[in-house]
mmCIF file of all heavy atoms in Angstrom:
data_model
loop_
_atom_site.group_PDB
_atom_site.id
_atom_site.type_symbol
_atom_site.label_atom_id
_atom_site.label_comp_id
_atom_site.label_asym_id
_atom_site.label_seq_id
_atom_site.Cartn_x
_atom_site.Cartn_y
_atom_site.Cartn_z
ATOM 1 N N MET N 5 2.834 -2.708 10.303
ATOM 2 C CA MET N 5 2.649 -1.970 9.064
ATOM 3 C C MET N 5 4.026 -1.658 8.498
ATOM 4 O O MET N 5 4.972 -1.409 9.244
ATOM 5 C CB MET N 5 1.862 -0.675 9.294
ATOM 6 C CG MET N 5 0.465 -0.912 9.852
ATOM 7 S SD MET N 5 -0.567 0.565 9.758
ATOM 8 C CE MET N 5 -0.815 0.672 7.985
ATOM 9 N N TYR N 30 4.129 1.010 20.713
ATOM 10 C CA TYR N 30 4.495 1.174 19.312
ATOM 11 C C TYR N 30 6.005 1.058 19.161
ATOM 12 O O TYR N 30 6.772 1.591 19.978
ATOM 13 C CB TYR N 30 4.054 2.542 18.788
ATOM 14 C CG TYR N 30 2.560 2.706 18.653
ATOM 15 C CD1 TYR N 30 1.805 3.263 19.686
ATOM 16 C CD2 TYR N 30 1.902 2.314 17.496
ATOM 17 C CE1 TYR N 30 0.432 3.414 19.564
ATOM 18 C CE2 TYR N 30 0.525 2.468 17.355
ATOM 19 C CZ TYR N 30 -0.196 3.014 18.395
ATOM 20 O OH TYR N 30 -1.556 3.166 18.268
ATOM 21 N N LYS N 64 2.515 5.846 22.868
ATOM 22 C CA LYS N 64 1.528 6.474 21.995
ATOM 23 C C LYS N 64 2.036 6.428 20.564
ATOM 24 O O LYS N 64 3.231 6.249 20.324
ATOM 25 C CB LYS N 64 1.280 7.929 22.418
ATOM 26 C CG LYS N 64 0.708 8.090 23.822
ATOM 27 C CD LYS N 64 0.479 9.556 24.126
ATOM 28 C CE LYS N 64 -0.129 9.747 25.512
ATOM 29 N NZ LYS N 64 -0.362 11.187 25.817
ATOM 30 N N LEU N 65 1.128 6.603 19.615
ATOM 31 C CA LEU N 65 1.551 6.667 18.227
ATOM 32 C C LEU N 65 2.535 7.817 18.071
ATOM 33 O O LEU N 65 2.305 8.916 18.569
ATOM 34 C CB LEU N 65 0.345 6.875 17.309
ATOM 35 C CG LEU N 65 0.647 6.882 15.805
ATOM 36 C CD1 LEU N 65 1.189 5.545 15.344
ATOM 37 C CD2 LEU N 65 -0.612 7.239 15.025
ATOM 38 N N PHE N 66 3.648 7.552 17.406
ATOM 39 C CA PHE N 66 4.689 8.555 17.241
ATOM 40 C C PHE N 66 4.105 9.830 16.635
ATOM 41 O O PHE N 66 3.311 9.782 15.677
ATOM 42 C CB PHE N 66 5.807 8.020 16.344
ATOM 43 C CG PHE N 66 6.486 6.799 16.888
ATOM 44 C CD1 PHE N 66 6.125 5.525 16.438
ATOM 45 C CD2 PHE N 66 7.490 6.900 17.850
ATOM 46 C CE1 PHE N 66 6.749 4.393 16.937
ATOM 47 C CE2 PHE N 66 8.114 5.767 18.350
ATOM 48 C CZ PHE N 66 7.745 4.511 17.892
ATOM 49 N N ILE N 69 4.143 10.406 12.959
ATOM 50 C CA ILE N 69 3.193 9.595 12.191
ATOM 51 C C ILE N 69 1.775 10.088 12.435
ATOM 52 O O ILE N 69 0.961 10.160 11.504
ATOM 53 C CB ILE N 69 3.322 8.105 12.566
ATOM 54 C CG1 ILE N 69 4.728 7.599 12.229
ATOM 55 C CG2 ILE N 69 2.255 7.276 11.852
ATOM 56 C CD1 ILE N 69 4.973 6.157 12.616
ATOM 57 N N GLU N 70 1.478 10.461 13.658
ATOM 58 C CA GLU N 70 0.139 10.955 13.999
ATOM 59 C C GLU N 70 -0.244 12.166 13.149
ATOM 60 O O GLU N 70 -1.412 12.317 12.748
ATOM 61 C CB GLU N 70 0.074 11.321 15.485
ATOM 62 C CG GLU N 70 -1.296 11.785 15.940
ATOM 63 C CD GLU N 70 -1.294 12.224 17.391
ATOM 64 O OE1 GLU N 70 -0.204 12.330 17.990
ATOM 65 O OE2 GLU N 70 -2.397 12.475 17.922
ATOM 66 N N LEU N 73 -2.257 11.738 9.914
ATOM 67 C CA LEU N 73 -3.656 11.341 9.955
ATOM 68 C C LEU N 73 -4.554 12.562 9.772
ATOM 69 O O LEU N 73 -4.147 13.690 10.044
ATOM 70 C CB LEU N 73 -3.972 10.663 11.286
ATOM 71 C CG LEU N 73 -3.118 9.452 11.667
ATOM 72 C CD1 LEU N 73 -3.585 8.888 13.004
ATOM 73 C CD2 LEU N 73 -3.149 8.396 10.587
ATOM 74 N N ASP N 93 -15.118 6.232 16.493
ATOM 75 C CA ASP N 93 -14.242 5.738 17.550
ATOM 76 C C ASP N 93 -13.126 4.833 17.023
ATOM 77 O O ASP N 93 -12.493 4.096 17.781
ATOM 78 C CB ASP N 93 -15.046 5.005 18.617
ATOM 79 C CG ASP N 93 -15.821 3.811 18.052
ATOM 80 O OD1 ASP N 93 -15.845 3.661 16.802
ATOM 81 O OD2 ASP N 93 -16.390 3.041 18.851
ATOM 82 N N SER N 94 -12.859 4.863 15.705
ATOM 83 C CA SER N 94 -11.763 4.065 15.147
ATOM 84 C C SER N 94 -10.438 4.497 15.765
ATOM 85 O O SER N 94 -10.211 5.688 16.025
ATOM 86 C CB SER N 94 -11.699 4.239 13.627
ATOM 87 O OG SER N 94 -12.831 3.682 12.998
ATOM 88 N N SER N 95 -9.573 3.542 16.018
ATOM 89 C CA SER N 95 -8.278 3.845 16.621
ATOM 90 C C SER N 95 -7.363 4.548 15.631
ATOM 91 O O SER N 95 -7.591 4.523 14.410
ATOM 92 C CB SER N 95 -7.606 2.562 17.109
ATOM 93 O OG SER N 95 -7.214 1.765 16.000
ATOM 94 N N GLU N 96 -6.324 5.170 16.138
ATOM 95 C CA GLU N 96 -5.354 5.828 15.270
ATOM 96 C C GLU N 96 -4.710 4.822 14.318
ATOM 97 O O GLU N 96 -4.459 5.139 13.150
ATOM 98 C CB GLU N 96 -4.279 6.518 16.111
ATOM 99 C CG GLU N 96 -4.774 7.741 16.864
ATOM 100 C CD GLU N 96 -3.680 8.391 17.691
ATOM 101 O OE1 GLU N 96 -2.869 7.640 18.281
ATOM 102 O OE2 GLU N 96 -3.633 9.627 17.752
ATOM 103 N N LEU N 97 -4.473 3.622 14.808
ATOM 104 C CA LEU N 97 -3.861 2.603 13.958
ATOM 105 C C LEU N 97 -4.827 2.174 12.844
ATOM 106 O O LEU N 97 -4.405 1.951 11.704
ATOM 107 C CB LEU N 97 -3.440 1.398 14.796
ATOM 108 C CG LEU N 97 -2.459 0.426 14.136
ATOM 109 C CD1 LEU N 97 -1.180 1.130 13.733
ATOM 110 C CD2 LEU N 97 -2.148 -0.744 15.068
ATOM 111 N N ASP N 98 -6.123 2.096 13.168
ATOM 112 C CA ASP N 98 -7.115 1.767 12.148
ATOM 113 C C ASP N 98 -7.167 2.855 11.078
ATOM 114 O O ASP N 98 -7.266 2.562 9.881
ATOM 115 C CB ASP N 98 -8.499 1.603 12.773
ATOM 116 C CG ASP N 98 -8.633 0.329 13.592
ATOM 117 O OD1 ASP N 98 -7.895 -0.633 13.305
ATOM 118 O OD2 ASP N 98 -9.458 0.301 14.521
ATOM 119 N N ILE N 99 -7.080 4.106 11.509
ATOM 120 C CA ILE N 99 -7.120 5.221 10.565
ATOM 121 C C ILE N 99 -5.861 5.228 9.707
ATOM 122 O O ILE N 99 -5.920 5.481 8.497
ATOM 123 C CB ILE N 99 -7.276 6.561 11.315
ATOM 124 C CG1 ILE N 99 -8.615 6.582 12.061
ATOM 125 C CG2 ILE N 99 -7.185 7.742 10.358
ATOM 126 C CD1 ILE N 99 -8.805 7.792 12.960
ATOM 127 N N LEU N 100 -4.728 4.903 10.316
ATOM 128 C CA LEU N 100 -3.477 4.841 9.553
ATOM 129 C C LEU N 100 -3.548 3.736 8.511
ATOM 130 O O LEU N 100 -3.114 3.913 7.366
ATOM 131 C CB LEU N 100 -2.294 4.608 10.498
ATOM 132 C CG LEU N 100 -0.915 4.537 9.842
ATOM 133 C CD1 LEU N 100 -0.557 5.875 9.199
ATOM 134 C CD2 LEU N 100 0.158 4.147 10.867
ATOM 135 N N ARG N 101 -4.092 2.598 8.882
ATOM 136 C CA ARG N 101 -4.210 1.474 7.942
ATOM 137 C C ARG N 101 -5.108 1.850 6.762
ATOM 138 O O ARG N 101 -4.855 1.461 5.627
ATOM 139 C CB ARG N 101 -4.768 0.235 8.650
ATOM 140 C CG ARG N 101 -3.816 -0.377 9.656
ATOM 141 C CD ARG N 101 -4.488 -1.495 10.438
ATOM 142 N NE ARG N 101 -4.778 -2.646 9.601
ATOM 143 C CZ ARG N 101 -3.946 -3.654 9.402
ATOM 144 N NH1 ARG N 101 -2.760 -3.665 9.992
ATOM 145 N NH2 ARG N 101 -4.279 -4.680 8.647
ATOM 146 N N ALA N 102 -6.171 2.594 7.040
ATOM 147 C CA ALA N 102 -7.120 2.944 5.984
ATOM 148 C C ALA N 102 -6.586 4.043 5.071
ATOM 149 O O ALA N 102 -6.717 3.961 3.844
ATOM 150 C CB ALA N 102 -8.451 3.377 6.604
ATOM 151 N N THR N 103 -5.991 5.070 5.652
ATOM 152 C CA THR N 103 -5.523 6.218 4.860
ATOM 153 C C THR N 103 -4.105 6.038 4.356
ATOM 154 O O THR N 103 -3.666 6.759 3.463
ATOM 155 C CB THR N 103 -5.567 7.497 5.692
ATOM 156 O OG1 THR N 103 -4.626 7.392 6.788
ATOM 157 C CG2 THR N 103 -6.971 7.749 6.257
#
Side-chain angles (χ1 to χ4, degrees):
M5 299 193 70
Y30 291 93
K64 298 181 178 180
L65 183 63
F66 299 98
I69 298 178
E70 183 184 9
L73 304 181
D93 59 352
S94 293
S95 69
E96 290 180 321
L97 196 58
D98 288 334
I99 297 174
L100 181 64
R101 291 173 68 89
T103 65

